[in-house]
Amino acid sequence: MTDALLADTETRPVDPAATWWRQAAVYQIYPRSFADANGDGLGDIPGVLSRADYLAELGIDAVWLSPFYPSALADGGYDVADYRNIDPRLGTLSDFDAMVTALHERDIRVVVDIVPNHTSDLHEWFQEALRAGRGSAARERYIFREGAGADGELPPTDWVSAFGGPAWTRVDDGQWYLHSFAREQPDLNWAHPEVREDFLTTLRFWSDRGVDGFRIDVAHMLTKDLTEPLPSREELAQIPRDGNHPLLDRDDVHEVYAEWRSVFNEYDPPRTAVAEAWVETPERRAKYASAEGLGQAFNFDLLEADFDAAQFHRIIDENLEQARTTGSSTTWVLSNHDVTRHATRYGLPPLGGRPVKQGVEWVAAGGPAEQLDREGGLRRARAATLFMLALPGSAYLYQGEELGLHEVAEISPEERQDPAFFRGGEFDGLGRDGCRVPLPWTGEGASFGFGAGGAHLPQPEWFARYAVDAESADPASTLSLYREALRLRHRLQSGETLEWTDTGRADVLRFTRPNGWQAVANFGTEPFDLGDDAADAVLASSPLIGTSLPAETTVWIAPQI
Ligand code: BGC
């Protein structure tokens, strides 16, 4: 294990500069929808810089920026045309440097997104591959195959892409290339040394510019075994994901991350990484979190759960146990740019095991808008967030959740951008635009203060109520709750453990951190009496009533000193 990852989980870390990530609150910025400094309707890097004080006041420890690289936006920027540059619509490299400096001055670390499974079809490598033709060295960097059928007119296999439709697209000379996502996102060939080398260059490029860490997109998909004959889609589905599946979560991907780790460790403090790895078991996830690899992995279990005490309890126990065995710290996520916002999820009928990516199907299916309990959803979201922020490990927050934003359903088909909407696939329903609508900063004015011009996705009228200026002035707002929670969290966070207390109620969870801070969450519909402890309550997601913790409410209790 490297020194950077060797933090004693029972006591404070020895070197805070190297272990900042272990219990950090990380705020995800979707740059094109955060703040628009030049009024062109697209958020940009100077926009982030202009909101540096807002981020500092919010109290987060780091920001993670979704891709800001040159891109044709076939997949919201996850189709990268140049990994070592900024989309000119979003700014320049010197804007980026100025943003990093401003954030660092405010003690906010910077994490950027690396998208290694695929490039954009506009990437110079892919353009070269198209020009160079079959059999060329340039095609080796991607996954080109001859088609099936008498004239190769059929795709090599019947595999489907994550956004629906065939996972293969045919080029002019008749060959086919593999794309696990949109056809504008050709998969790279990770068996190719130049591909490997180029990503090391990219990691150094951003690390040299002062970036503190990386979020690795679909980290479980890079390496592939494409030995002929290729299995059919049905056969693929039968192959266990135990490290030898041809496409997913292969053991050999960790050779890639071992190399990356040695690059991270060239820096002082070592750069960090968190894997976005949709794998089948906590044990498989642990491999990505290993100290010899990326060091941390997202745990999406809470995001996939209902607002339910038993599910939360089980998930927390499993993941803390997993973190203990890997030496990493666990991660908690309730919302991100790929899923329906949690205020909305919790205002809809329980998922009951249904994949969360389909949480928007109530609207897609023409479901009545009354199905959404806006107030209840937000009340539960505030309770879940406050409970999550008291847990050991790092918490990832998604822009706009601090305002209590709901998913925006009112986007016409013409205004939608997400390939998931147009092509279907595993992101069923309305796709992901509803959580990517530009943020409301002011209750009035062009694009609610997002920028001087319009907004690239339409903002509904109800955004005015959730605007930053309105919520800043209201001590009961969700923004005030997040600010206070993130401020107190620095005192609450201690050793990376917790101890449960039996509350006598299955729908009420209570734990104590090593320094005596407690969180109590009432997931039920009946109030819970806190007795004398109510006097030490420092923050609650809904007001206490006397000594009683209302339904669907979390409270933090500070130790007596
Ligand atoms: C990202 C998505 C993206 C996909 C392909 C992910 O999991 O979070 O937004 O569409 O990877 O890059």
Side-chain angles (χ1 to χ4, degrees):
M1 214 185 254
T2 63
D3 287 349
L5 292 155
L6 241 190
D8 178 347
T9 54
E10 301 299 322
T11 60
R12 294 298 294 169
V14 196
D15 174 5
T19 54
W20 65 267
W21 53 275
R22 295 191 68 91
Q23 304 213 61
V26 185
Y27 180 85
Q28 181 188 357
I29 291 181
Y30 190 75
R32 291 174 176 86
S33 300
F34 184 68
D36 172 18
N38 65 3
D40 67 354
L42 263 194
D44 43 39
I45 299 291
V48 178
L49 172 66
S50 74
R51 300 294 177 181
D53 286 336
Y54 172 79
L55 296 167
E57 204 182 336
L58 184 56
I60 40 117
D61 303 302
V63 292
W64 144 36
L65 293 125
S66 278
F68 43 72
Y69 314 108
S71 167
L73 303 185
D75 180 19
Y78 283 87
D79 45 321
V80 179
D82 178 356
Y83 290 87
R84 300 193 279 276
N85 217 331
I86 310 283
D87 184 333
R89 291 167 295 183
L90 270 62
T92 60
L93 282 168
S94 48
D95 291 333
F96 182 85
D97 295 341
M99 179 199 70
V100 172
T101 304
L103 293 172
H104 281 171
E105 278 168 4
R106 290 162 178 78
D107 276 339
I108 298 173
R109 308 288 206 301
V110 179
V111 172
V112 301
D113 220 308
I114 295 291
V115 188
N117 178 66
H118 42 265
T119 69
S120 157
D121 59 344
L122 299 180
H123 191 282
E124 59 172 10
W125 277 357
F126 194 71
Q127 289 298 311
E128 190 190 338
L130 290 182
R131 284 192 306 270
R134 51 159 51 77
S136 62
R139 287 212 174 168
E140 288 300 309
R141 298 192 194 107
Y142 293 90
I143 299 168
F144 278 88
R145 291 287 182 277
E146 298 304 333
D151 299 312
E153 73 285 8
L154 298 173
T157 65
D158 61 352
W159 302 346
V160 290
S161 84
F163 296 142
W168 300 91
T169 289
R170 197 170 198 196
V171 301
D172 285 350
D173 60 27
Q175 273 203 312
W176 298 76
Y177 66 89
L178 179 70
H179 51 90
S180 301
F181 293 89
R183 73 179 76 87
E184 298 89 345
Q185 293 169 297
D187 281 29
L188 284 164
N189 170 14
W190 273 87
H192 198 300
E194 268 180 57
V195 170
R196 293 202 180 207
E197 199 49 47
D198 196 68
F199 273 87
L200 302 182
T201 306
T202 294
L203 296 174
R204 290 195 180 98
F205 178 86
W206 294 108
S207 298
D208 290 343
R209 297 198 100 86
V211 157
D212 302 278
F214 300 93
R215 177 261 189 194
I216 313 304
D217 191 63
V218 291
H220 59 299
M221 292 178 66
L222 278 46
T223 56
K224 298 176 175 84
D225 176 6
L226 297 175
T227 315
E228 309 272 350
L230 296 174
S232 69
R233 182 180 169 198
E234 206 182 315
E235 284 162 348
L236 262 187
Q238 305 303 322
I239 304 177
R241 298 195 194 169
D242 60 357
N244 292 306
H245 187 280
L247 302 181
L248 299 172
D249 190 21
R250 294 179 52 75
D251 283 338
D252 54 13
V253 78
H254 299 292
E255 293 163 20
V256 173
Y257 299 135
E259 269 188 295
W260 289 21
R261 172 52 54 194
S262 52
V263 172
F264 300 149
N265 290 350
E266 289 166 10
Y267 293 86
D268 181 20
R271 297 329 189 212
T272 66
V274 57
E276 185 217 18
W278 296 89
V279 297
E280 288 208 321
T281 62
E283 291 73 30
R284 297 294 311 164
R285 189 190 302 142
K287 294 182 181 286
Y288 296 83
S290 123
E292 290 76 35
L294 295 175
Q296 201 181 39
F298 279 124
N299 138 34
F300 294 120
D301 299 349
L302 282 187
L303 175 154
E304 294 188 301
D306 290 309
F307 182 76
D308 175 87
Q311 291 182 46
F312 268 61
H313 196 166
R314 175 183 52 74
I315 287 168
I316 292 166
D317 277 349
E318 275 176 15
N319 283 286
L320 290 179
E321 174 57 20
Q322 202 58 53
R324 213 180 51 75
T325 56
T326 60
S328 181
S329 67
T330 192
T331 56
W332 306 107
V333 189
L334 288 168
S335 279
N336 66 27
H337 66 297
D338 285 333
V339 297
T340 305
R341 287 186 178 278
H342 64 289
T344 301
R345 288 201 315 270
Y346 294 154
L348 291 169
L351 288 161
R354 198 156 38 91
V356 68
K357 285 172 188 162
Q358 294 170 17
V360 284
E361 67 192 6
W362 62 290
V363 191
E370 309 82 75
Q371 268 197 60
L372 173 61
D373 169 8
R374 278 184 184 267
E375 219 178 287
L378 181 54
R379 184 173 59 247
R380 288 169 210 127
R382 289 167 54 115
T385 301
L386 198 58
F387 200 57
M388 173 184 87
L389 287 175
L391 291 169
S394 44
Y396 285 79
L397 308 170
Y398 176 54
Q399 71 177 41
E401 67 166 86
E402 79 277 21
L403 305 175
L405 282 187
H406 276 282
E407 189 81 359
V408 179
E410 310 89 324
I411 309 176
S412 68
E414 299 74 47
E415 291 165 317
R416 290 201 174 267
Q417 302 173 5
D418 187 7
F421 171 72
F422 298 104
R423 302 172 197 177
E426 57 188 55
F427 299 87
D428 247 0
L430 289 179
R432 302 164 295 175
D433 293 317
C435 64
R436 299 174 178 186
V437 174
L439 291 191
W441 294 89
T442 53
E444 292 176 3
S447 59
F448 296 107
F450 167 65
H456 67 99
L457 280 168
Q459 298 160 303
E461 270 174 29
W462 52 262
F463 257 33
R465 287 206 303 279
Y466 296 82
V468 171
D469 64 351
E471 293 208 15
S472 291
D474 175 6
S477 71
T478 302
L479 180 57
S480 298
L481 175 72
Y482 270 67
R483 284 180 176 158
E484 188 58 7
L486 290 163
R487 193 180 68 78
L488 290 173
R489 184 178 147 93
H490 290 118
R491 286 169 52 201
L492 172 148
Q493 287 298 356
S494 50
E496 292 175 26
T497 56
L498 58 73
E499 201 166 307
W500 295 105
T501 307
D502 186 1
T503 64
R505 280 222 348 224
D507 55 2
V508 179
L509 299 181
R510 179 178 196 142
F511 64 76
T512 309
R513 297 295 301 273
N515 58 3
W517 281 69
Q518 293 180 58
V520 189
N522 182 357
F523 288 82
T525 51
E526 294 301 317
F528 176 78
D529 188 28
L530 293 166
D532 292 347
D533 287 335
D536 299 319
V538 287
L539 187 63
S541 61
S542 304
L544 300 189
I545 300 167
T547 62
S548 137
L549 179 65
E552 303 181 329
T553 301
T554 294
V555 64
W556 286 4
I557 297 170
Q560 290 282 344
I561 305 178

